[in-house]
Amino acid sequence: QSDFYEFLVYVASQCGNTTISKMGNIVKDIFVKNVWKADTDNMRQLICALYRNGISRSWCEEMLIALEKIMFECKDIDAKQREALQHGRAWLLLNNKERAMTWFQRMIVETLGVGYRKDYQPTTMAQWIGDVNKIDSIHAVERIHWMTSRLRYINDISESRIATDAARKLLSDALELNLSVGLGLGKWLLDTEIGYFAMVSFCLINNLLKKANTETEYKPIFHYFTQVHLYVVGTTSYDLSTELLELIYNVGKKILGQNYTIYVNELKRCLSTQCVDRIRKKMLKKIDELESSDFINDCVLAASKKGELDTYFRKSDELVSQAKEFLKKGDRENAWKIAQKGTDCVDAL
């Protein structure tokens, strides 16, 4: 903490200028050897505290200039703005108005940038690249390289996983455009550790499922999902979505129809035995919801074939009309009772 360093300077100042000079030599030695773990703002406050307690101006100027080489490293736009402001104030303390003005102007320049610390803009840029690549695929690889060259920087300066989110969007679009390009990008994301395995695996399965039209194409994707992907999904809070599970279920149901029951049973078994505890219940609940939805849809289809569906809706429409008439007359109580009966007709289906 900055007040800790200021306290050290205060203690040293009680022992005279010689001790302050010795402390300055120690600080400089630690700084040169690059073993100082304090952030640059605390370094700057220590330099200013030493100056206020008698250390030479030339020593402070040398230290501030050295600090300028590192104070913007891994900083977002807001942090750079604060660094420039505080650095300008430090130069003012030394009565160097020219250098102070330079840093105040730099502060204004930094405010004209784009902030990434907790921002969605990199993902929006990745989405834009994907849209443009669909129109102009000839230069697609060039645009992808342009974005990937910036992901490392975004990853360094951001608090959240916006670089990973942007990489996921970029990878999804690359796989859709060209499987070979997408696989190459996926490998690069894993090698650079910008993307994690579950994310790359998600994008790959998602893309292949959209292309599957037969059981022969679907079956290996299903086995990869149940035998590999489920072991790693849910290891972070970003993997808790059931989106991929729903796609696995819906694509399989579409391809296999009633014959999909065997796959559903296998899917439930794998979810029960191979998912981490924190998402097992959520995944199994989603499967139950999907099965229930299918059952209701089947009932509606069967009812429509028998001519029963129109009867249900004719009755409900009739009751709704009656409720509206009561409402026009100001009789809200009877209107509500009739409306509830209409709802019950639909629920009975």
Side-chain angles (χ1 to χ4, degrees), residues 20-73:
I20 285 289
S21 297
K22 288 181 179 179
M23 186 176 181
N25 292 334
I26 294 171
V27 169
K28 184 177 180 180
D29 184 56
I30 294 174
F31 186 86
V32 170
K33 291 179 179 178
N34 198 28
V35 295
W36 201 350
K37 301 304 180 184
D39 61 38
T40 50
D41 189 50
N42 285 337
M43 294 180 187
R44 187 182 300 106
Q45 290 187 49
L46 175 56
I47 293 168
C48 292
L50 285 167
Y51 178 73
R52 284 192 291 266
N53 283 276
I55 206 165
S56 68
R57 180 180 299 175
S58 60
W59 181 91
C60 290
E61 290 176 345
E62 183 182 353
M63 293 296 294
L64 288 177
I65 291 172
L67 198 61
E68 292 169 3
K69 298 176 182 179
I70 64 169
M71 66 185 198
F72 279 177
E73 290 182 0

Side-chain angles (χ1 to χ4, degrees), residues 116 122 125-126 128-129 139-151 154 170:
Y116 294 124
M125 180 60 70
W128 177 84
I129 289 173
H139 299 97
V141 175
E142 181 181 340
R143 294 188 192 94
I144 291 171
H145 285 170
W146 180 89
M147 187 69 185
T148 55
S149 67
R150 288 155 175 80
L151 285 177
I154 295 171
L170 197 66

